[in-house]
Amino acid sequence: MISTLAGVVREVDLAYGRGRLRLALPEGCVPTMVRQRTVPPVPDPAAAVAHALAEPVAAPPLAELAQGRRSACILICDITRPVPNGLFLRPMIETILAAGVPADRVTVLVATGLHRPNVGAELEELVGDPWVLEHVRVENHDARDDAAHRWLGRTSVRGTPVALDARFVDADLKIATGLVEPHFMAGWSGGRKVIAPGVAHHTTIRTFHSARFMEDPRAVPCVLEGNPLHAEQLEIVAMLGEVYGLDTVLDDERRLLHVGFGEIVALHRATVERVEESIRVPVDRSFATVVTSAAGYPLDKTYYQTIKGMVTPLDVLAPGGTVIIASECSEGFGSAEFRDAQRRLTQLGPDAFLASLVAKPLADVDEWQTEMQLKPLRQGRVELYSTGLPREDRALTAVEVVDDLAAAVARSIARSGDPHVAVIPDGPYVVPYLAGAVGG
């Protein structure tokens, strides 16, 4: 949904941390607001979950699926995704237990990929229901633990080495839960992506994150057809055999818009078809100034995750234009490996940094996010507003860090001579695309 608000709106609210950040627009600015198409939230989320489990996509009801199973493993996303785990985990687990699966053979596994584990109060927040923590095992995936994985072979076309967490591979009933939203590399999150890279060995993940995947022109938001990552993920799912999924869709206020359960590939395809029209927003011109966010908490906890918000609006950014992004970065920069990659970027420059990646069959841990940052840097300039990033880390961002968001917008307008500004309050959860003539 877009709306041009010249002469009407002088302030906008951007997703920022656990709230909103108010931005006063400069005089003469002509803002175009880019938001998800309004879809009414589910009136009774608990009833919607019960309905999804009872009437799945391309599968029997969960109560039937769980009959005769010896064990079950349920994947959940880590703390970087606002998945409403507290809504569906307990009814799902209760259904599995009622079918006769022993509680000590049910595992909830946090699909961390190569992110850090979620423990303590953070794990409690992530799971969202103390009953789950009290009744079944809740554990974190560790991509670096060689002994904790099962080797499944290599994919047929690209030869990706495939090793997955043994707790998931060995489970009699396999379920991957998650959030379907745009992903700046895999097209869409959720479904097969929760498995790989979610519970994959580091060699699998680092292959996905190598330049031969990252630089592929089809490895972009909202594209599945021809996307090499999606193709690999589907083949990995096929290696596992019988796998099921639970997909959720949220609005910009984290309210439930849809929940579905079923065979993982068919369900994900159906969920993407359902949500795509509201999330992909056609825009009839490009903009020299794009103001966006990193989607607020939990995605804007680190600068590492902030890069997603820089990449998503590139289709509507005019060449040489400016992306101005607001991200709290409440936990600061990110991993030590990401910090090292950013340091190499600032030392080498974008071209030499990319050249250093091209020949690698395995990306170094977390350097892929730095590689993704090259995309907006090639197209224009990036400016960051953040109250949580330590001042000593600013140089490592490789972008300009600003202390006054409104002044940054005014400077960008002055540089371009174009008062038209695209405002994307909810960052990478909305994907604008150029549908008409290019302006500028």
Side-chain angles (χ1 to χ4, degrees):
M1 180 176 69
I2 65 169
S3 56
T4 302
L5 303 170
V8 178
V9 171
R10 295 270 60 88
E11 294 182 326
V12 295
D13 290 328
L14 308 176
Y16 190 81
R18 293 182 182 269
R20 312 291 291 190
L21 177 67
R22 179 148 292 183
L23 165 63
L25 297 171
E27 191 68 32
C29 173
V30 183
T32 295
M33 303 298 293
V34 183
R35 296 182 180 275
Q36 289 185 22
R37 182 172 59 86
T38 301
V39 176
V42 172
D44 187 342
V49 170
H51 176 78
L53 299 179
E55 297 191 25
V57 173
L62 178 60
E64 293 181 25
L65 284 174
Q67 291 290 331
R69 307 282 181 165
R70 301 179 304 277
S71 62
C73 184
I74 302 170
L75 305 185
I76 62 172
C77 298
D78 71 0
I79 196 65
T80 63
R81 273 41 174 201
V83 185
N85 297 310
L87 176 63
F88 59 75
L89 277 178
R90 179 170 180 173
M92 183 180 290
I93 293 168
E94 287 180 331
T95 301
I96 292 170
L97 297 180
V101 181
D104 62 358
R105 301 297 307 278
V106 177
T107 301
V108 174
L109 185 59
V110 183
T112 57
L114 273 166
H115 299 167
R116 59 169 172 73
N118 304 146
V119 298
E122 186 175 75
L123 184 63
E124 294 174 6
E125 177 187 348
L126 175 65
V127 172
D129 187 339
W131 182 93
V132 174
L133 292 165
E134 293 166 2
H135 285 79
V136 298
R137 292 194 304 273
V138 180
E139 300 172 345
N140 283 274
H141 167 67
D142 182 356
R144 295 172 174 85
D145 184 352
D146 295 345
H149 293 76
R150 294 276 183 267
W151 169 255
L152 301 181
R154 291 180 178 271
T155 57
S156 60
V157 175
R158 297 174 181 87
T160 298
V162 181
L164 301 177
D165 196 300
R167 288 166 289 190
F168 190 65
V169 175
D170 296 345
D172 208 13
L173 178 60
K174 304 175 184 67
I175 302 173
T177 71
L179 178 69
V180 175
E181 61 185 358
H183 189 272
F184 69 158
M185 180 176 66
W188 295 90
S189 68
R192 76 285 181 253
K193 187 178 178 298
V194 184
I195 298 171
V199 291
H201 187 260
H202 71 87
T203 54
T204 305
I205 301 172
R206 291 166 60 204
T207 300
F208 277 178
H209 290 163
S210 63
R212 69 187 178 110
F213 284 93
M214 297 295 93
E215 299 302 318
D216 191 292
R218 301 293 287 176
V220 293
C222 301
V223 172
L224 295 181
E225 187 68 30
N227 188 316
L229 286 160
H230 179 61
E232 298 296 272
Q233 289 163 338
L234 291 182
E235 188 169 349
I236 290 170
V237 168
M239 290 178 176
L240 289 168
E242 183 188 8
V243 186
Y244 301 93
L246 184 142
D247 289 340
T248 61
V249 178
L250 305 180
D251 68 7
D252 54 8
E253 296 181 31
R254 308 294 194 260
R255 297 175 300 183
L256 185 70
L257 298 182
H258 174 71
V259 58
F261 177 76
E263 190 278 323
I264 189 167
V265 175
L267 172 69
H268 188 257
R269 183 168 54 246
T271 307
V272 167
E273 289 174 358
R274 185 185 188 101
V275 73
E276 187 169 17
E277 186 179 344
S278 65
I279 286 179
R280 294 189 71 233
V281 179
V283 178
D284 63 4
R285 57 160 291 151
S286 60
F287 294 85
T289 305
V290 175
V291 178
T292 187
S293 78
Y297 184 91
L299 204 60
D300 76 348
K301 284 159 66 80
T302 62
Y303 183 67
Y304 171 86
Q305 292 288 354
T306 299
I307 291 172
K308 293 178 179 178
M310 303 174 188
V311 175
T312 305
L314 290 183
D315 197 52
V316 299
L317 179 68
T322 302
V323 174
I324 302 169
I325 186 166
S327 179
E328 186 179 36
C329 300
S330 58
E331 287 187 1
F333 206 75
S335 69
E337 294 91 345
F338 174 61
R339 182 183 295 273
D340 178 66
Q342 291 291 127
R343 183 175 294 110
R344 285 186 283 126
L345 171 62
T346 59
Q347 292 170 347
L348 296 173
D351 293 341
F353 178 80
L354 179 60
S356 74
L357 308 181
V358 172
K360 289 183 179 180
L362 298 180
D364 290 352
V365 173
D366 285 351
E367 76 178 2
W368 70 279
Q369 195 81 298
T370 300
E371 182 178 356
M372 294 302 286
Q373 185 176 326
L374 299 180
K375 293 186 176 184
L377 294 180
R378 291 184 198 119
Q379 190 162 332
R381 61 188 291 155
V382 178
E383 298 183 0
L384 169 72
Y385 174 85
S386 176
T387 53
L389 194 67
R391 187 164 291 274
E392 58 269 24
D393 285 340
R394 289 186 169 194
L396 289 180
T397 64
V399 302
E400 182 179 350
V401 181
V402 300
D403 294 316
D404 187 326
L405 201 55
V409 175
R411 286 194 300 269
S412 180
I413 290 173
R415 274 194 305 271
S416 67
D418 183 356
H420 293 269
V421 175
V423 181
I424 312 170
D426 297 293
Y429 292 144
V430 181
V431 181
Y433 67 96
L434 201 58
V438 177

